[in-house]
Amino acid sequence: MENLLGENGKRFCVSRAALSMMGTPKLGYLVEIVDECAILICLNVVLGLSSVLTKIDDWSRSSLVVMEQCQEALSCMYYLLQRFSLKFVGVDSNVLERISFTFLSILKSESFSRNCLVAAGVTFCVALQVCLSPEDLELFIMEGIFNENFIVCPKFAFADVVEKISFKGNLIDELSNFSSLSRLCLVRGILIAVSRTILRIEFVVSNDNFGSVMDFENSRKSIKMILYDVILPELCNCCENPIDSHFSFHALTVMQICLQQVKTSMLNKNESVGVNYNSISEDIGTQLLQIV
């Protein structure tokens, strides 16, 4: 079993075979095999990535081939968590804990390739959706990732939402210690993996922490949405204050993804916003024009 799960030079052997099967045009009956082995495949990915992380901690530089293998393994994990999510509901919490810990360890590392960081960010967001309901997820993103702590009368207590995530340790502290690039990859993961419905949920916030639009019935309250009021301003800041040319290119790429979401949202008549809500403020509009 240890050989199968990635020890003794057989790193990613199971996940690579699974990814090969999942790449076939028609899975057919093979989908049942992948479904049955989903947990085993994920453990193979976790142990393989953990092996790479251990070598990195020992100051061993990983080759481009190893980075490509890690990216493929993360892609495999993304597919499994997305397509066979029910397989992970109710399983030993240790499995999801190991998955979450591994993703966060990659995102905190400075030794993985950009493609690996992007894949880890997207897959981590999918893993969150295994643990949380859509209502829980929207609150966790707003308050846990973007530090919007002035939400008025949330449906759930934030502490209760965090408790539902399989992770040992202080998850919020871990997220707050990301590098600028890793945080950008996490934001990219949110834009790709989280539904636009969640990104456009209206939160009522206290104006002690400035919001987008005044509520005319109560001038001390505002409306905020994840897409327009926290992600878009953060990306504007990233594009205007890049730490280097590599980061600048990546920030512009994520901004392009964000603006595509904004465009689709605005063109969709079923996603109209309230008459008193201004999706893109004048300041943000000016920043976007300067970036372009």
Side-chain angles (χ1 to χ4, degrees), residues 248-286:
S248 177
F249 172 80
H250 191 40
L252 289 171
T253 300
V254 181
M255 176 64 85
Q256 183 180 16
I257 297 171
C258 180
L259 292 177
Q260 184 60 50
Q261 288 276 33
V262 169
K263 176 184 176 181
T264 303
S265 177
M266 289 182 168
L267 292 177
N268 191 335
K269 295 180 180 180
N270 294 325
E271 297 183 2
S272 59
V273 299
V275 293
N276 293 327
Y277 182 80
N278 181 17
S279 302
I280 299 179
S281 67
E282 184 176 345
D283 290 342
I284 292 297
T286 301

Side-chain angles (χ1 to χ4, degrees), residues 81-96:
L81 290 171
Q82 186 180 57
R83 181 159 183 177
F84 305 107
S85 58
L86 293 179
K87 197 74 177 179
F88 297 86
V89 177
V91 300
D92 183 356
S93 61
N94 183 53
V95 174
L96 285 173

